[in-house]
Amino acid sequence: MRASFSRTRGAPYSFLAPALVLFAAFLAAPIVYTIYLSLRRVHVKGLGLGAGSRTEVWAGLSNYARSMTDPDFLPSVERIGAYGAIVVPIMLGLALLMALLLDAGRTRVGTFARTAIFLPYAVPAVVASLLWGFLYLPRVSPIVDAMQGAGLHPPNFLDNSWVLWAVANIAVWGGTGFNMIVLYTALRTIPTDLFEAARLDGASDTQIALRIKIPIIAPSLVMTFVFSLIATLQVFAEPMTLRPLSNTISTTWTPLMKVFRDAFTRNDIYSAAATSVVIALASFMVSFGFLKIVGSRAFSQED
């Protein structure tokens, strides 16, 4: 009886063990190792050519100080702030609008519309960046040809005044569909009795959307907003892919591109690790701070 009881108590841990091992090996261990590297540095003796001339020593917070005072770091943060101010409102606004239109039954091809809107999310970021990069290049872009044929003067989408919008456009194109599916799924869980009662009271579709649907799916809106914030702080693939096509995108255009430069161009993994930890902490603080501000109101209906 005792052996059977022990096996019963141990069964949940057996099921959890594979997930815990994977979590420890591929998430927890890299985080701990990154923090460890951020607190170390290489001490060079002499010319650094002989055996034992390069040793790893304790550095304290010097890597963090060096990373934060790097003249390329603050401009990259400001650039990401401007990028997020463009991407997040436009992407979530379009996703909410499309979800509301699909839920209201204004389109007769609901399945096709959902698939078409979601499809760009299935395209890898690198592939999407390459596709849009060729659309931006004046010599091969059909967009430029069409504008010139219409007598318009097309801008250079990859120059200094347009490149931020060009990168943001790729993120909006790729991310709107995913957020639309999340919001549309939340809308489909709302009981239809609420809509019928509102229509009996004379409410229009717009009033139903603003006063019933949007307040009810507020937790989903908060979730998509937080995910979008995190993705904004971690943007890397789009500008990195477009960089060979334009000299307006530097190697430190975003904080993660600075990490890549420090680690793989300058071979300074310690400074790169410190910057990575700062980015991770910033992502956590921004997400946690936003949830603290709006979470109590957005999730109050679930209490």
Side-chain angles (χ1 to χ4, degrees):
M1 180 67 72
R2 288 184 177 181
S4 177
F5 181 72
S6 299
R7 285 196 298 270
T8 302
R9 293 188 59 183
Y13 300 100
S14 301
F15 287 115
L16 286 174
L20 293 175
V21 170
L22 292 174
F23 175 83
F26 296 104
L27 186 63
I31 291 174
V32 173
Y33 185 59
T34 301
I35 296 173
Y36 168 80
L37 287 178
S38 70
L39 301 173
R40 310 287 288 180
R41 66 179 178 86
V42 172
H43 177 67
V44 180
K45 298 178 182 178
L47 298 177
L49 300 177
S53 60
R54 292 175 175 268
T55 56
E56 190 178 89
V57 297
W58 175 260
L61 299 178
S62 61
N63 288 323
Y64 291 92
R66 187 156 52 94
S67 176
M68 296 300 97
T69 56
D70 190 315
D72 293 323
F73 181 73
L74 185 58
S76 70
V77 173
E78 294 173 348
R79 203 173 290 115
I80 280 298
Y83 169 87
I86 296 171
V87 170
V88 176
I90 295 177
M91 181 172 62
L92 294 185
L94 288 174
L96 178 60
L97 176 62
M98 293 175 183
L100 290 171
L101 290 176
L102 288 171
D103 186 64
R106 296 196 177 192
T107 171
R108 302 301 179 186
V109 285
T111 302
F112 173 79
R114 290 195 301 272
T115 304
I117 297 170
F118 178 77
L119 193 58
Y121 180 74
V123 179
V126 173
V127 176
S129 301
L130 286 173
L131 292 174
W132 278 102
F134 285 112
L135 291 175
Y136 293 148
L137 286 177
R139 287 179 293 179
V140 298
S141 174
I143 298 176
V144 173
D145 292 340
M147 293 181 69
Q148 289 176 342
L152 301 175
H153 181 68
N156 183 0
F157 296 106
L158 295 178
D159 67 8
N160 279 321
S161 57
W162 284 94
V163 68
L164 182 65
W165 292 90
V167 177
N169 172 67
I170 300 173
V172 172
W173 180 79
T176 299
F178 170 79
N179 292 292
M180 181 274 295
I181 290 295
V182 173
L183 298 177
Y184 177 75
T185 303
L187 287 170
R188 299 299 291 178
T189 63
I190 303 175
T192 57
D193 296 346
L194 293 176
F195 308 146
E196 295 173 0
R199 290 191 179 93
L200 289 175
D201 289 338
S204 64
D205 287 341
T206 302
Q207 291 173 325
I208 291 174
L210 295 176
R211 298 182 181 181
I212 298 178
K213 293 183 178 181
I214 294 178
I216 290 178
I217 66 169
S220 297
L221 281 170
V222 171
M223 181 187 70
T224 54
F225 188 87
V226 170
F227 286 168
S228 299
L229 282 179
I230 295 173
T232 295
L233 293 173
Q234 298 177 354
V235 63
F236 176 80
E238 293 88 348
M240 196 69 178
T241 305
L242 291 177
R243 201 174 84 80
L245 305 179
S246 173
N247 57 8
T248 58
I249 300 178
S250 65
T251 57
T252 58
W253 203 79
T254 68
L256 277 186
M257 290 178 68
K258 178 183 179 299
V259 171
F260 184 87
R261 182 206 64 178
D262 291 344
F264 300 105
T265 302
R266 294 184 173 180
N267 199 29
D268 186 0
I269 61 173
Y270 307 101
S271 177
T275 308
S276 299
V277 173
V278 171
I279 295 172
L281 288 175
S283 300
F284 173 78
M285 292 174 63
V286 169
S287 304
F288 183 76
F290 178 77
L291 287 175
K292 287 290 291 183
I293 293 173
V294 305
S296 59
R297 297 181 60 183
F299 295 98
S300 60
Q301 58 184 308
E302 299 183 1
D303 294 337

